[in-house]
Amino acid sequence: VTLPNGATKSMLQFGMAPLGLLYDYHAELALATILLCVVLSAYLYLRSADPALLRAEGGDSGNAAYDFFMGRELNPRWGSFDWKEFCELRPGLIGWALLNMAMVVKQQEKLGYVSGSMMLINAFQGLYVW
């Protein structure tokens, strides 16, 4: 496998990332993600009560439960940091690809080979993320 120059340089400097740890701590990572999302969602929902903020059409129905899950503010930001873009786009997709790679590493460790279905999942989902 030939890696790009930057990836090779960082691996030589810091060592190979133990992706199997993502598999080992999958439940803890999922719990931390859920807690972060609930806290962030509650904060953004409460903050959206500010009349100066632009609200989304679908998230301003008057039904609090519906509005909470749909999102009231159109493009929630902290300064120039766009939460909607951050949560929906690249970082989440890259995390998904890393978790897939962690599953490959762990399957190789446990079984001694990587199954065809695991290769296909990683190939197709990797193509989607790319």
Side-chain angles (χ1 to χ4, degrees):
V1 174
T2 305
L3 296 172
N5 192 21
T8 305
K9 186 176 179 181
S10 64
M11 281 177 26
L12 289 173
Q13 185 175 1
F14 299 111
M16 185 65 119
L19 288 175
L21 287 176
L22 292 176
Y23 176 87
D24 296 336
Y25 291 102
H26 189 77
E28 291 86 348
L29 289 169
L31 178 63
T33 302
I34 290 167
L35 292 175
L36 174 70
C37 289
V38 168
V39 169
L40 181 62
S41 296
Y43 167 74
L44 290 173
Y45 179 78
L46 293 173
R47 193 182 82 140
S48 70
D50 182 358
L53 297 174
L54 187 60
R55 291 191 182 167
E57 281 184 38
D60 199 17
S61 70
N63 181 337
Y66 179 81
D67 291 346
F68 179 81
F69 287 103
M70 292 304 292
R72 285 173 47 163
E73 191 176 349
L74 187 59
N75 288 315
R77 295 179 181 270
W78 281 352
S80 64
F81 184 78
D82 188 342
W83 277 106
K84 185 176 182 181
E85 183 177 342
F86 178 78
C87 293
E88 288 183 0
L89 298 174
R90 280 285 163 211
L93 292 173
I94 291 169
W96 180 26
L98 282 174
L99 283 173
N100 280 346
M101 285 189 268
M103 303 302 168
V104 167
V105 168
K106 192 52 87 167
Q107 188 177 59
Q108 176 68 36
E109 287 176 10
K110 285 186 170 188
L111 302 178
Y113 65 93
V114 178
S115 67
S117 58
M118 181 67 82
M119 285 188 245
L120 285 173
I121 286 290
N122 274 272
F124 291 137
Q125 290 179 357
L127 183 63
Y128 178 79
V129 169
W130 179 59

